[in-house]
Amino acid sequence: FYNESTIGDNSPLSYIWTFPPLKPGNPDRKDYTTDPKQVTFLADTGLITVKLTAISEHGCYDSTFNYVRIEPDITVFIPNVFYPVNADGSGGSNVDFPYGGNKTFKVSATGFETIEIFVFNRWGQMVYKTAMTSKTWDQNEGWNGKDFNTGKDCQQDSYIYQVNATSFNGKKYTYSGSITLLR
C-alpha cells in the first residue's frame, strides 16, 4: 500500500490503516505505519475494503477507503466433452461445429507452478497422463482420445479425470470430474 496523504501546512501526520480480520468474528486489524507491507487477507477471492485515516498533530482527521479485489491464485478451466480425430481420419476436424470444437481434451490453467492431468476409463485404467511445470506448459498439448499405453483409439464413453495443480505459493488444488469422448 502506498500512502499519498498530504496536509496544506506540511505538518506531520499519523495514520491508521484498517484491514478486515484474519479470522471470522475477530475485530478489524489496525496498522499505524505510513505504507503497510505484506498485508494478508482471510479470503483467497473477493472484494476487500481497506480504510486509511490520516490524523494531523492538531487532531483533525480525514479518511478514505478503497476496494482491493483478491483474485484466485490459480485458475483452471476443464472442458466436459471433446470429439477427437479417429484413426481413420474421421471425426474431430471433419465435424462442422458452429463455434469450433474440442478436438483434444485440453486443460487451460494460469497461476500454477506444477500441474498433473490423469484420465481413467470406467474400469479405472489410466488412458492418459501428463505432468508439467509452468515453464514447460504447452496449452496445445492434450489428450487426443488414444490410450497412451496401446496407442489405439479409446471408445466413445465417459472418462474420469483428475487434475492436480500447485500454485506459486505452494497451495495444492485437486479437480476431478468426467469428460465425454464422442466418436
Side-chain angles (χ1 to χ4, degrees), residues 46-167:
L47 202 58
I48 307 295
T49 304
V50 175
K51 180 180 176 185
L52 169 62
T53 303
I55 306 164
S56 75
E57 63 184 5
H58 305 293
C60 297
Y61 66 91
D62 196 3
S63 62
T64 187
F65 68 93
N66 206 342
Y67 298 105
V68 176
R69 179 172 304 279
I70 308 295
E71 299 290 338
D73 60 349
I74 190 169
T75 305
V76 178
F77 297 101
I78 303 170
N80 59 3
V81 67
F82 77 112
Y83 193 69
V85 176
N86 298 319
D88 65 4
S90 65
S93 60
N94 296 331
V95 175
D96 186 21
F97 288 107
Y99 304 106
N102 294 333
K103 296 172 187 79
T104 57
F105 172 61
K106 290 188 250 184
V107 174
S108 177
T110 60
F112 68 91
E113 179 65 30
T114 62
I115 193 165
E116 300 173 309
I117 304 167
F118 303 95
V119 179
F120 303 90
N121 65 19
R122 66 176 57 242
W123 298 278
Q125 297 164 321
M126 188 182 308
V127 295
Y128 176 76
K129 71 176 178 178
T130 188
M132 293 172 269
T133 68
S134 58
K135 293 175 184 161
T136 62
W137 177 250
D138 178 1
Q139 287 200 306
N140 294 318
E141 182 179 328
W143 180 39
N144 61 5
K146 297 183 183 301
D147 184 324
F148 79 110
N149 296 302
T150 65
K152 294 182 180 178
D153 286 345
C154 292
Q155 68 183 21
Q156 176 172 305
D157 207 344
S158 290
Y159 293 80
I160 302 301
Y161 66 81
Q162 181 169 326
V163 176
N164 300 323
T166 304
S167 68

